[in-house]
PDB file of all heavy atoms in Angstrom:
ATOM      1  N   GLN A  86     152.101 209.257   5.292  1.00  0.00           N
ATOM      2  CA  GLN A  86     150.925 209.628   4.489  1.00  0.00           C
ATOM      3  C   GLN A  86     150.509 211.067   4.761  1.00  0.00           C
ATOM      4  O   GLN A  86     150.110 211.799   3.852  1.00  0.00           O
ATOM      5  CB  GLN A  86     149.766 208.679   4.834  1.00  0.00           C
ATOM      6  CG  GLN A  86     148.463 208.960   4.105  1.00  0.00           C
ATOM      7  CD  GLN A  86     147.352 208.026   4.557  1.00  0.00           C
ATOM      8  OE1 GLN A  86     147.585 206.853   4.853  1.00  0.00           O
ATOM      9  NE2 GLN A  86     146.142 208.549   4.650  1.00  0.00           N
ATOM     10  N   SER A  87     150.641 211.502   6.028  1.00  0.00           N
ATOM     11  CA  SER A  87     150.199 212.848   6.408  1.00  0.00           C
ATOM     12  C   SER A  87     151.030 213.955   5.765  1.00  0.00           C
ATOM     13  O   SER A  87     150.594 215.098   5.696  1.00  0.00           O
ATOM     14  CB  SER A  87     150.246 212.999   7.940  1.00  0.00           C
ATOM     15  OG  SER A  87     151.584 213.098   8.407  1.00  0.00           O
ATOM     16  N   LYS A  88     152.214 213.610   5.286  1.00  0.00           N
ATOM     17  CA  LYS A  88     153.088 214.605   4.663  1.00  0.00           C
ATOM     18  C   LYS A  88     152.526 215.100   3.325  1.00  0.00           C
ATOM     19  O   LYS A  88     152.868 216.179   2.859  1.00  0.00           O
ATOM     20  CB  LYS A  88     154.487 214.021   4.468  1.00  0.00           C
ATOM     21  CG  LYS A  88     155.206 213.751   5.783  1.00  0.00           C
ATOM     22  CD  LYS A  88     156.533 213.051   5.566  1.00  0.00           C
ATOM     23  CE  LYS A  88     157.210 212.737   6.893  1.00  0.00           C
ATOM     24  NZ  LYS A  88     158.490 211.993   6.712  1.00  0.00           N
ATOM     25  N   THR A  89     151.665 214.278   2.735  1.00  0.00           N
ATOM     26  CA  THR A  89     151.064 214.666   1.452  1.00  0.00           C
ATOM     27  C   THR A  89     149.543 214.773   1.527  1.00  0.00           C
ATOM     28  O   THR A  89     148.911 215.296   0.628  1.00  0.00           O
ATOM     29  CB  THR A  89     151.417 213.633   0.354  1.00  0.00           C
ATOM     30  OG1 THR A  89     151.013 212.322   0.782  1.00  0.00           O
ATOM     31  CG2 THR A  89     152.920 213.628   0.090  1.00  0.00           C
ATOM     32  N   GLU A  90     148.963 214.275   2.641  1.00  0.00           N
ATOM     33  CA  GLU A  90     147.506 214.303   2.796  1.00  0.00           C
ATOM     34  C   GLU A  90     147.129 214.911   4.140  1.00  0.00           C
ATOM     35  O   GLU A  90     147.379 214.322   5.178  1.00  0.00           O
ATOM     36  CB  GLU A  90     146.920 212.885   2.700  1.00  0.00           C
ATOM     37  CG  GLU A  90     147.147 212.200   1.362  1.00  0.00           C
ATOM     38  CD  GLU A  90     146.600 210.788   1.350  1.00  0.00           C
ATOM     39  OE1 GLU A  90     145.701 210.485   2.165  1.00  0.00           O
ATOM     40  OE2 GLU A  90     147.076 209.980   0.546  1.00  0.00           O
ATOM     41  N   GLY A  91     146.534 216.087   4.116  1.00  0.00           N
ATOM     42  CA  GLY A  91     146.067 216.703   5.350  1.00  0.00           C
ATOM     43  C   GLY A  91     147.161 217.377   6.152  1.00  0.00           C
ATOM     44  O   GLY A  91     148.182 217.815   5.620  1.00  0.00           O
ATOM     45  N   VAL A  92     146.956 217.416   7.469  1.00  0.00           N
ATOM     46  CA  VAL A  92     147.890 218.070   8.384  1.00  0.00           C
ATOM     47  C   VAL A  92     149.038 217.117   8.722  1.00  0.00           C
ATOM     48  O   VAL A  92     148.792 215.982   9.134  1.00  0.00           O
ATOM     49  CB  VAL A  92     147.174 218.497   9.689  1.00  0.00           C
ATOM     50  CG1 VAL A  92     148.149 219.198  10.634  1.00  0.00           C
ATOM     51  CG2 VAL A  92     145.985 219.389   9.375  1.00  0.00           C
ATOM     52  N   PRO A  93     150.293 217.548   8.557  1.00  0.00           N
ATOM     53  CA  PRO A  93     151.439 216.676   8.854  1.00  0.00           C
ATOM     54  C   PRO A  93     151.477 216.255  10.329  1.00  0.00           C
ATOM     55  O   PRO A  93     151.185 217.059  11.223  1.00  0.00           O
ATOM     56  CB  PRO A  93     152.649 217.549   8.507  1.00  0.00           C
ATOM     57  CG  PRO A  93     152.126 218.577   7.573  1.00  0.00           C
ATOM     58  CD  PRO A  93     150.720 218.851   8.012  1.00  0.00           C
ATOM     59  N   LEU A  94     151.840 214.994  10.552  1.00  0.00           N
ATOM     60  CA  LEU A  94     151.964 214.452  11.908  1.00  0.00           C
ATOM     61  C   LEU A  94     153.416 214.107  12.202  1.00  0.00           C
ATOM     62  O   LEU A  94     154.237 213.980  11.290  1.00  0.00           O
ATOM     63  CB  LEU A  94     151.097 213.196  12.067  1.00  0.00           C
ATOM     64  CG  LEU A  94     149.599 213.290  11.778  1.00  0.00           C
ATOM     65  CD1 LEU A  94     148.938 211.945  12.034  1.00  0.00           C
ATOM     66  CD2 LEU A  94     148.944 214.377  12.616  1.00  0.00           C
ATOM     67  N   LYS A  95     153.707 213.927  13.475  1.00  0.00           N
ATOM     68  CA  LYS A  95     155.019 213.442  13.897  1.00  0.00           C
ATOM     69  C   LYS A  95     154.803 212.324  14.920  1.00  0.00           C
ATOM     70  O   LYS A  95     153.751 212.257  15.572  1.00  0.00           O
ATOM     71  CB  LYS A  95     155.843 214.566  14.533  1.00  0.00           C
ATOM     72  CG  LYS A  95     155.285 215.081  15.856  1.00  0.00           C
ATOM     73  CD  LYS A  95     156.166 216.163  16.477  1.00  0.00           C
ATOM     74  CE  LYS A  95     155.589 216.653  17.814  1.00  0.00           C
ATOM     75  NZ  LYS A  95     156.409 217.713  18.428  1.00  0.00           N
ATOM     76  N   MET A  96     155.776 211.432  15.022  1.00  0.00           N
ATOM     77  CA  MET A  96     155.681 210.337  15.971  1.00  0.00           C
ATOM     78  C   MET A  96     156.501 210.673  17.214  1.00  0.00           C
ATOM     79  O   MET A  96     157.671 211.032  17.112  1.00  0.00           O
ATOM     80  CB  MET A  96     156.182 209.030  15.348  1.00  0.00           C
ATOM     81  CG  MET A  96     156.084 207.829  16.272  1.00  0.00           C
ATOM     82  SD  MET A  96     156.351 206.240  15.409  1.00  0.00           S
ATOM     83  CE  MET A  96     158.079 206.401  14.916  1.00  0.00           C
ATOM     84  N   ILE A  97     155.875 210.565  18.387  1.00  0.00           N
ATOM     85  CA  ILE A  97     156.593 210.757  19.648  1.00  0.00           C
ATOM     86  C   ILE A  97     157.535 209.562  19.830  1.00  0.00           C
ATOM     87  O   ILE A  97     157.113 208.412  19.717  1.00  0.00           O
ATOM     88  CB  ILE A  97     155.605 210.853  20.831  1.00  0.00           C
ATOM     89  CG1 ILE A  97     154.633 212.026  20.637  1.00  0.00           C
ATOM     90  CG2 ILE A  97     156.366 210.980  22.147  1.00  0.00           C
ATOM     91  CD1 ILE A  97     155.287 213.389  20.579  1.00  0.00           C
ATOM     92  N   LYS A  98     158.804 209.819  20.074  1.00  0.00           N
ATOM     93  CA  LYS A  98     159.809 208.745  20.114  1.00  0.00           C
ATOM     94  C   LYS A  98     159.607 207.758  21.264  1.00  0.00           C
ATOM     95  O   LYS A  98     159.940 206.581  21.143  1.00  0.00           O
ATOM     96  CB  LYS A  98     161.204 209.357  20.196  1.00  0.00           C
ATOM     97  CG  LYS A  98     161.633 210.084  18.925  1.00  0.00           C
ATOM     98  CD  LYS A  98     163.051 210.604  19.045  1.00  0.00           C
ATOM     99  CE  LYS A  98     163.479 211.301  17.748  1.00  0.00           C
ATOM    100  NZ  LYS A  98     164.869 211.816  17.843  1.00  0.00           N
ATOM    101  N   GLU A  99     159.065 208.259  22.371  1.00  0.00           N
ATOM    102  CA  GLU A  99     158.858 207.387  23.543  1.00  0.00           C
ATOM    103  C   GLU A  99     157.643 206.488  23.331  1.00  0.00           C
ATOM    104  O   GLU A  99     156.540 206.974  23.097  1.00  0.00           O
ATOM    105  CB  GLU A  99     158.645 208.252  24.787  1.00  0.00           C
ATOM    106  CG  GLU A  99     158.457 207.467  26.061  1.00  0.00           C
ATOM    107  CD  GLU A  99     158.096 208.355  27.241  1.00  0.00           C
ATOM    108  OE1 GLU A  99     157.797 209.553  27.020  1.00  0.00           O
ATOM    109  OE2 GLU A  99     158.092 207.853  28.372  1.00  0.00           O
ATOM    110  N   PRO A 100     157.809 205.157  23.395  1.00  0.00           N
ATOM    111  CA  PRO A 100     156.665 204.251  23.217  1.00  0.00           C
ATOM    112  C   PRO A 100     155.631 204.406  24.325  1.00  0.00           C
ATOM    113  O   PRO A 100     155.989 204.703  25.473  1.00  0.00           O
ATOM    114  CB  PRO A 100     157.296 202.861  23.268  1.00  0.00           C
ATOM    115  CG  PRO A 100     158.753 203.074  23.023  1.00  0.00           C
ATOM    116  CD  PRO A 100     159.062 204.417  23.590  1.00  0.00           C
ATOM    117  N   MET A 101     154.377 204.205  23.985  1.00  0.00           N
ATOM    118  CA  MET A 101     153.320 204.204  24.999  1.00  0.00           C
ATOM    119  C   MET A 101     153.442 202.951  25.867  1.00  0.00           C
ATOM    120  O   MET A 101     153.365 203.015  27.086  1.00  0.00           O
ATOM    121  CB  MET A 101     151.948 204.257  24.325  1.00  0.00           C
ATOM    122  CG  MET A 101     151.673 205.535  23.550  1.00  0.00           C
ATOM    123  SD  MET A 101     151.412 206.958  24.617  1.00  0.00           S
ATOM    124  CE  MET A 101     149.681 206.733  25.069  1.00  0.00           C
ATOM    125  N   VAL A 102     153.620 201.799  25.213  1.00  0.00           N
ATOM    126  CA  VAL A 102     153.881 200.535  25.914  1.00  0.00           C
ATOM    127  C   VAL A 102     154.759 199.653  25.035  1.00  0.00           C
ATOM    128  O   VAL A 102     154.823 199.843  23.813  1.00  0.00           O
ATOM    129  CB  VAL A 102     152.582 199.751  26.269  1.00  0.00           C
ATOM    130  CG1 VAL A 102     151.740 200.478  27.288  1.00  0.00           C
ATOM    131  CG2 VAL A 102     151.777 199.434  25.019  1.00  0.00           C
ATOM    132  N   LEU A 103     155.423 198.672  25.675  1.00  0.00           N
ATOM    133  CA  LEU A 103     156.219 197.687  24.955  1.00  0.00           C
ATOM    134  C   LEU A 103     155.498 196.344  24.992  1.00  0.00           C
ATOM    135  O   LEU A 103     154.889 195.988  26.004  1.00  0.00           O
ATOM    136  CB  LEU A 103     157.600 197.532  25.604  1.00  0.00           C
ATOM    137  CG  LEU A 103     158.474 198.785  25.677  1.00  0.00           C
ATOM    138  CD1 LEU A 103     159.769 198.465  26.420  1.00  0.00           C
ATOM    139  CD2 LEU A 103     158.777 199.309  24.287  1.00  0.00           C
ATOM    140  N   GLN A 104     155.577 195.608  23.892  1.00  0.00           N
ATOM    141  CA  GLN A 104     154.935 194.291  23.819  1.00  0.00           C
ATOM    142  C   GLN A 104     155.916 193.266  23.255  1.00  0.00           C
ATOM    143  O   GLN A 104     156.155 193.244  22.049  1.00  0.00           O
ATOM    144  CB  GLN A 104     153.710 194.342  22.910  1.00  0.00           C
ATOM    145  CG  GLN A 104     152.644 195.318  23.352  1.00  0.00           C
ATOM    146  CD  GLN A 104     151.481 195.329  22.381  1.00  0.00           C
ATOM    147  OE1 GLN A 104     150.586 194.504  22.455  1.00  0.00           O
ATOM    148  NE2 GLN A 104     151.503 196.259  21.455  1.00  0.00           N
ATOM    149  N   PRO A 105     156.502 192.421  24.106  1.00  0.00           N
ATOM    150  CA  PRO A 105     157.409 191.383  23.602  1.00  0.00           C
ATOM    151  C   PRO A 105     156.649 190.400  22.707  1.00  0.00           C
ATOM    152  O   PRO A 105     155.598 189.889  23.095  1.00  0.00           O
ATOM    153  CB  PRO A 105     157.899 190.684  24.879  1.00  0.00           C
ATOM    154  CG  PRO A 105     157.569 191.620  25.992  1.00  0.00           C
ATOM    155  CD  PRO A 105     156.352 192.371  25.564  1.00  0.00           C
ATOM    156  N   ILE A 106     157.173 190.159  21.518  1.00  0.00           N
ATOM    157  CA  ILE A 106     156.540 189.232  20.569  1.00  0.00           C
ATOM    158  C   ILE A 106     157.329 187.933  20.544  1.00  0.00           C
ATOM    159  O   ILE A 106     158.547 187.936  20.294  1.00  0.00           O
ATOM    160  CB  ILE A 106     156.502 189.840  19.152  1.00  0.00           C
ATOM    161  CG1 ILE A 106     155.806 191.197  19.166  1.00  0.00           C
ATOM    162  CG2 ILE A 106     155.819 188.879  18.181  1.00  0.00           C
ATOM    163  CD1 ILE A 106     154.360 191.180  19.577  1.00  0.00           C
ATOM    164  N   GLY A 107     156.661 186.821  20.823  1.00  0.00           N
ATOM    165  CA  GLY A 107     157.343 185.530  20.857  1.00  0.00           C
ATOM    166  C   GLY A 107     156.531 184.433  20.204  1.00  0.00           C
ATOM    167  O   GLY A 107     155.437 184.660  19.678  1.00  0.00           O
ATOM    168  N   VAL A 108     157.088 183.233  20.245  1.00  0.00           N
ATOM    169  CA  VAL A 108     156.415 182.047  19.712  1.00  0.00           C
ATOM    170  C   VAL A 108     155.592 181.433  20.840  1.00  0.00           C
ATOM    171  O   VAL A 108     156.100 181.207  21.944  1.00  0.00           O
ATOM    172  CB  VAL A 108     157.447 181.015  19.208  1.00  0.00           C
ATOM    173  CG1 VAL A 108     156.752 179.743  18.725  1.00  0.00           C
ATOM    174  CG2 VAL A 108     158.290 181.628  18.089  1.00  0.00           C
ATOM    175  N   GLY A 109     154.318 181.176  20.568  1.00  0.00           N
ATOM    176  CA  GLY A 109     153.442 180.583  21.576  1.00  0.00           C
ATOM    177  C   GLY A 109     153.460 179.069  21.506  1.00  0.00           C
ATOM    178  O   GLY A 109     153.470 178.485  20.428  1.00  0.00           O
ATOM    179  N   MET A 110     153.466 178.424  22.680  1.00  0.00           N
ATOM    180  CA  MET A 110     153.476 176.956  22.775  1.00  0.00           C
ATOM    181  C   MET A 110     152.596 176.500  23.929  1.00  0.00           C
ATOM    182  O   MET A 110     152.275 177.298  24.814  1.00  0.00           O
ATOM    183  CB  MET A 110     154.901 176.448  23.026  1.00  0.00           C
ATOM    184  CG  MET A 110     155.853 176.602  21.871  1.00  0.00           C
ATOM    185  SD  MET A 110     157.589 176.519  22.429  1.00  0.00           S
ATOM    186  CE  MET A 110     157.840 178.216  22.979  1.00  0.00           C
ATOM    187  N   LYS A 111     152.244 175.231  23.931  1.00  0.00           N
ATOM    188  CA  LYS A 111     151.455 174.678  25.022  1.00  0.00           C
ATOM    189  C   LYS A 111     152.265 174.733  26.318  1.00  0.00           C
ATOM    190  O   LYS A 111     153.476 174.561  26.311  1.00  0.00           O
ATOM    191  CB  LYS A 111     151.067 173.230  24.700  1.00  0.00           C
ATOM    192  CG  LYS A 111     150.062 172.618  25.682  1.00  0.00           C
ATOM    193  CD  LYS A 111     149.832 171.149  25.404  1.00  0.00           C
ATOM    194  CE  LYS A 111     149.097 170.920  24.121  1.00  0.00           C
ATOM    195  NZ  LYS A 111     148.739 169.480  23.945  1.00  0.00           N
ATOM    196  N   LYS A 112     151.586 174.967  27.415  1.00  0.00           N
ATOM    197  CA  LYS A 112     152.254 175.031  28.710  1.00  0.00           C
ATOM    198  C   LYS A 112     152.857 173.679  29.104  1.00  0.00           C
ATOM    199  O   LYS A 112     152.439 172.637  28.616  1.00  0.00           O
ATOM    200  CB  LYS A 112     151.249 175.453  29.791  1.00  0.00           C
ATOM    201  CG  LYS A 112     151.241 176.942  30.085  1.00  0.00           C
ATOM    202  CD  LYS A 112     150.371 177.236  31.280  1.00  0.00           C
ATOM    203  CE  LYS A 112     150.469 178.687  31.707  1.00  0.00           C
ATOM    204  NZ  LYS A 112     151.783 179.068  32.207  1.00  0.00           N
ATOM    205  N   ASP A 113     153.833 173.726  30.013  1.00  0.00           N
ATOM    206  CA  ASP A 113     154.462 172.533  30.587  1.00  0.00           C
ATOM    207  C   ASP A 113     155.107 171.640  29.539  1.00  0.00           C
ATOM    208  O   ASP A 113     155.000 170.406  29.594  1.00  0.00           O
ATOM    209  CB  ASP A 113     153.430 171.727  31.401  1.00  0.00           C
ATOM    210  CG  ASP A 113     152.835 172.544  32.537  1.00  0.00           C
ATOM    211  OD1 ASP A 113     153.597 173.278  33.185  1.00  0.00           O
ATOM    212  OD2 ASP A 113     151.614 172.448  32.760  1.00  0.00           O
ATOM    213  N   GLU A 114     155.744 172.258  28.570  1.00  0.00           N
ATOM    214  CA  GLU A 114     156.528 171.532  27.568  1.00  0.00           C
ATOM    215  C   GLU A 114     157.937 172.134  27.551  1.00  0.00           C
ATOM    216  O   GLU A 114     158.327 172.843  26.623  1.00  0.00           O
ATOM    217  CB  GLU A 114     155.880 171.653  26.181  1.00  0.00           C
ATOM    218  CG  GLU A 114     154.527 170.975  26.046  1.00  0.00           C
ATOM    219  CD  GLU A 114     154.628 169.452  26.096  1.00  0.00           C
ATOM    220  OE1 GLU A 114     155.754 168.919  25.978  1.00  0.00           O
ATOM    221  OE2 GLU A 114     153.583 168.795  26.262  1.00  0.00           O
ATOM    222  N   PRO A 115     158.731 171.851  28.605  1.00  0.00           N
ATOM    223  CA  PRO A 115     160.057 172.479  28.730  1.00  0.00           C
ATOM    224  C   PRO A 115     161.038 172.090  27.634  1.00  0.00           C
ATOM    225  O   PRO A 115     161.893 172.894  27.259  1.00  0.00           O
ATOM    226  CB  PRO A 115     160.542 172.003  30.106  1.00  0.00           C
ATOM    227  CG  PRO A 115     159.777 170.750  30.374  1.00  0.00           C
ATOM    228  CD  PRO A 115     158.441 170.962  29.754  1.00  0.00           C
ATOM    229  N   VAL A 116     160.934 170.880  27.111  1.00  0.00           N
ATOM    230  CA  VAL A 116     161.859 170.447  26.057  1.00  0.00           C
ATOM    231  C   VAL A 116     161.613 171.250  24.785  1.00  0.00           C
ATOM    232  O   VAL A 116     162.541 171.770  24.161  1.00  0.00           O
ATOM    233  CB  VAL A 116     161.731 168.935  25.784  1.00  0.00           C
ATOM    234  CG1 VAL A 116     162.664 168.519  24.643  1.00  0.00           C
ATOM    235  CG2 VAL A 116     162.058 168.139  27.033  1.00  0.00           C
ATOM    236  N   LEU A 117     160.340 171.355  24.399  1.00  0.00           N
ATOM    237  CA  LEU A 117     159.989 172.125  23.203  1.00  0.00           C
ATOM    238  C   LEU A 117     160.392 173.588  23.374  1.00  0.00           C
ATOM    239  O   LEU A 117     160.947 174.201  22.457  1.00  0.00           O
ATOM    240  CB  LEU A 117     158.486 172.019  22.931  1.00  0.00           C
ATOM    241  CG  LEU A 117     157.958 172.816  21.730  1.00  0.00           C
ATOM    242  CD1 LEU A 117     158.648 172.386  20.438  1.00  0.00           C
ATOM    243  CD2 LEU A 117     156.441 172.661  21.603  1.00  0.00           C
ATOM    244  N   LEU A 118     160.132 174.152  24.555  1.00  0.00           N
ATOM    245  CA  LEU A 118     160.490 175.541  24.824  1.00  0.00           C
ATOM    246  C   LEU A 118     161.998 175.757  24.660  1.00  0.00           C
ATOM    247  O   LEU A 118     162.437 176.720  24.013  1.00  0.00           O
ATOM    248  CB  LEU A 118     160.062 175.936  26.238  1.00  0.00           C
ATOM    249  CG  LEU A 118     160.438 177.349  26.697  1.00  0.00           C
ATOM    250  CD1 LEU A 118     159.790 178.408  25.820  1.00  0.00           C
ATOM    251  CD2 LEU A 118     160.041 177.555  28.161  1.00  0.00           C
ATOM    252  N   ALA A 119     162.785 174.863  25.221  1.00  0.00           N
ATOM    253  CA  ALA A 119     164.243 174.978  25.132  1.00  0.00           C
ATOM    254  C   ALA A 119     164.721 174.867  23.689  1.00  0.00           C
ATOM    255  O   ALA A 119     165.619 175.602  23.259  1.00  0.00           O
ATOM    256  CB  ALA A 119     164.903 173.905  26.001  1.00  0.00           C
ATOM    257  N   LYS A 120     164.108 173.951  22.933  1.00  0.00           N
ATOM    258  CA  LYS A 120     164.485 173.763  21.526  1.00  0.00           C
ATOM    259  C   LYS A 120     164.173 175.025  20.705  1.00  0.00           C
ATOM    260  O   LYS A 120     164.988 175.465  19.889  1.00  0.00           O
ATOM    261  CB  LYS A 120     163.727 172.571  20.936  1.00  0.00           C
ATOM    262  CG  LYS A 120     164.104 171.219  21.510  1.00  0.00           C
ATOM    263  CD  LYS A 120     165.398 170.714  20.919  1.00  0.00           C
ATOM    264  CE  LYS A 120     165.704 169.298  21.387  1.00  0.00           C
ATOM    265  NZ  LYS A 120     166.993 168.809  20.844  1.00  0.00           N
ATOM    266  N   VAL A 121     162.979 175.590  20.917  1.00  0.00           N
ATOM    267  CA  VAL A 121     162.565 176.783  20.164  1.00  0.00           C
ATOM    268  C   VAL A 121     163.449 177.971  20.529  1.00  0.00           C
ATOM    269  O   VAL A 121     163.894 178.723  19.651  1.00  0.00           O
ATOM    270  CB  VAL A 121     161.075 177.102  20.415  1.00  0.00           C
ATOM    271  CG1 VAL A 121     160.709 178.476  19.856  1.00  0.00           C
ATOM    272  CG2 VAL A 121     160.188 176.027  19.788  1.00  0.00           C
ATOM    273  N   ASN A 122     163.717 178.156  21.820  1.00  0.00           N
ATOM    274  CA  ASN A 122     164.576 179.271  22.239  1.00  0.00           C
ATOM    275  C   ASN A 122     165.976 179.163  21.645  1.00  0.00           C
ATOM    276  O   ASN A 122     166.546 180.159  21.182  1.00  0.00           O
ATOM    277  CB  ASN A 122     164.662 179.334  23.766  1.00  0.00           C
ATOM    278  CG  ASN A 122     163.455 180.012  24.402  1.00  0.00           C
ATOM    279  OD1 ASN A 122     162.751 180.759  23.743  1.00  0.00           O
ATOM    280  ND2 ASN A 122     163.231 179.739  25.671  1.00  0.00           N
ATOM    281  N   ALA A 123     166.530 177.950  21.651  1.00  0.00           N
ATOM    282  CA  ALA A 123     167.869 177.744  21.088  1.00  0.00           C
ATOM    283  C   ALA A 123     167.874 178.005  19.586  1.00  0.00           C
ATOM    284  O   ALA A 123     168.817 178.595  19.040  1.00  0.00           O
ATOM    285  CB  ALA A 123     168.339 176.318  21.384  1.00  0.00           C
ATOM    286  N   ALA A 124     166.801 177.583  18.904  1.00  0.00           N
ATOM    287  CA  ALA A 124     166.702 177.780  17.456  1.00  0.00           C
ATOM    288  C   ALA A 124     166.584 179.272  17.122  1.00  0.00           C
ATOM    289  O   ALA A 124     167.226 179.757  16.187  1.00  0.00           O
ATOM    290  CB  ALA A 124     165.499 177.019  16.906  1.00  0.00           C
ATOM    291  N   LEU A 125     165.785 180.004  17.874  1.00  0.00           N
ATOM    292  CA  LEU A 125     165.634 181.443  17.646  1.00  0.00           C
ATOM    293  C   LEU A 125     166.957 182.174  17.860  1.00  0.00           C
ATOM    294  O   LEU A 125     167.330 183.056  17.085  1.00  0.00           O
ATOM    295  CB  LEU A 125     164.566 182.028  18.574  1.00  0.00           C
ATOM    296  CG  LEU A 125     163.108 181.708  18.249  1.00  0.00           C
ATOM    297  CD1 LEU A 125     162.192 182.213  19.363  1.00  0.00           C
ATOM    298  CD2 LEU A 125     162.687 182.319  16.912  1.00  0.00           C
ATOM    299  N   MET A 126     167.679 181.781  18.912  1.00  0.00           N
ATOM    300  CA  MET A 126     168.971 182.403  19.187  1.00  0.00           C
ATOM    301  C   MET A 126     169.952 182.147  18.049  1.00  0.00           C
ATOM    302  O   MET A 126     170.680 183.051  17.614  1.00  0.00           O
ATOM    303  CB  MET A 126     169.528 181.849  20.505  1.00  0.00           C
ATOM    304  CG  MET A 126     170.798 182.541  20.987  1.00  0.00           C
ATOM    305  SD  MET A 126     170.531 184.270  21.458  1.00  0.00           S
ATOM    306  CE  MET A 126     169.656 184.058  23.019  1.00  0.00           C
ATOM    307  N   ALA A 127     169.954 180.919  17.538  1.00  0.00           N
ATOM    308  CA  ALA A 127     170.857 180.554  16.436  1.00  0.00           C
ATOM    309  C   ALA A 127     170.500 181.324  15.164  1.00  0.00           C
ATOM    310  O   ALA A 127     171.379 181.814  14.454  1.00  0.00           O
ATOM    311  CB  ALA A 127     170.790 179.046  16.189  1.00  0.00           C
ATOM    312  N   LEU A 128     169.210 181.444  14.871  1.00  0.00           N
ATOM    313  CA  LEU A 128     168.753 182.188  13.693  1.00  0.00           C
ATOM    314  C   LEU A 128     169.127 183.663  13.803  1.00  0.00           C
ATOM    315  O   LEU A 128     169.515 184.294  12.819  1.00  0.00           O
ATOM    316  CB  LEU A 128     167.234 182.053  13.535  1.00  0.00           C
ATOM    317  CG  LEU A 128     166.702 180.691  13.098  1.00  0.00           C
ATOM    318  CD1 LEU A 128     165.169 180.655  13.221  1.00  0.00           C
ATOM    319  CD2 LEU A 128     167.112 180.372  11.665  1.00  0.00           C
ATOM    320  N   ASP A 129     169.024 184.202  15.005  1.00  0.00           N
ATOM    321  CA  ASP A 129     169.354 185.607  15.220  1.00  0.00           C
ATOM    322  C   ASP A 129     170.850 185.855  15.022  1.00  0.00           C
ATOM    323  O   ASP A 129     171.251 186.802  14.349  1.00  0.00           O
ATOM    324  CB  ASP A 129     168.925 186.020  16.627  1.00  0.00           C
ATOM    325  CG  ASP A 129     168.737 187.520  16.771  1.00  0.00           C
ATOM    326  OD1 ASP A 129     168.533 188.194  15.738  1.00  0.00           O
ATOM    327  OD2 ASP A 129     168.782 188.028  17.897  1.00  0.00           O
TER     328      ASP A 129
END
């Protein structure tokens, strides 16, 4: 947007922080966790 509006900006390539994004589930449900992880791996 800045290329056509105002002063042009650039993005610094180095991230400020990393945030892993995952599927949230109730704690102490190892079977469900294993099923979801296997499904995500297969989809990927």
Side-chain angles (χ1 to χ4, degrees):
Q86 179 183 324
S87 73
K88 293 175 182 177
T89 55
E90 298 178 23
V92 181
L94 303 181
K95 67 178 181 181
M96 181 168 66
I97 301 298
K98 291 183 179 180
E99 181 186 11
M101 295 288 278
V102 293
L103 300 177
Q104 300 179 84
I106 305 297
V108 177
M110 290 160 277
K111 189 186 291 187
K112 265 188 173 294
D113 301 319
E114 294 291 346
V116 178
L117 178 59
L118 177 62
K120 293 281 186 182
V121 169
N122 280 339
L125 286 173
M126 187 66 74
L128 289 170
D129 202 22

